[in-house]
Amino acid sequence: GSGRAGLLYLLLSLGGNLGLLFFFKYYDFATHLINQGLQSGGFEITVPALGLLLPVGISFYTFQTLSYTIDVYRGNLAVERSFLKFSLYVTFFPQLVAGPIVRASEFIPDIKQGIYHFLPSGEDFNYGAFQFLGGLIKKMMADWLAFGLIDRVYESPDMFTAGETLIVFYAYGLQIYGDFSGYTDMALGAARLMGF
């Protein structure tokens, strides 16, 4: 909620989430810069780098959690008492790779009681499978354009005529469209297969 306690919880959540993200993503980079600065200043002290592996999807999980915290702070969403529903919101994977970050106030209220989403109707299952496969085909065509045509011309454009280069210029637009549109269809299809 709002008020001093709400602001304190918001700041703790922001600090904790962003602190973890910074620690895993930027700690070694920051220590490298600090060590360079110390060495150029004549100090013999070094801050040890940890060589941590970056947890898969940490940015996604961080921003999903921040969305929840901010929605609760603004009063757009009541505090979720079910850890299972909260966990489902934070770890819902179809949009993990390319987003978007879904607002908690739009997602959590739609989760059915007892998490019965994972029993899609026959129509939802069929449509989801069709949409997922359609997206997969788009992604495969985009990859074929990239590796079979576009990369070859961009690597050595002097070997191709102006007309061929122009065709590849437009093919690159199709490749970008197919890549993002295909991924979106796959994410929507995967969600529909699970009843969302």
Side-chain angles (χ1 to χ4, degrees), residues 4-20 65-66 69 73:
R4 280 191 168 172
L7 182 61
L8 177 65
Y9 287 130
L10 175 67
L11 293 175
L12 283 172
S13 176
L14 288 171
N17 281 299
L18 294 174
L20 277 173
T65 307
L66 288 179
T69 306
Y73 177 74

Side-chain angles (χ1 to χ4, degrees), residues 13 17 24 39 61 77 79 87 107 141 143 174:
S13 176
N17 281 299
F24 280 105
Q39 287 173 359
Y61 298 128
L77 180 71
V79 173
S87 299
F107 188 89
M141 294 301 288
D143 287 345
L174 284 174

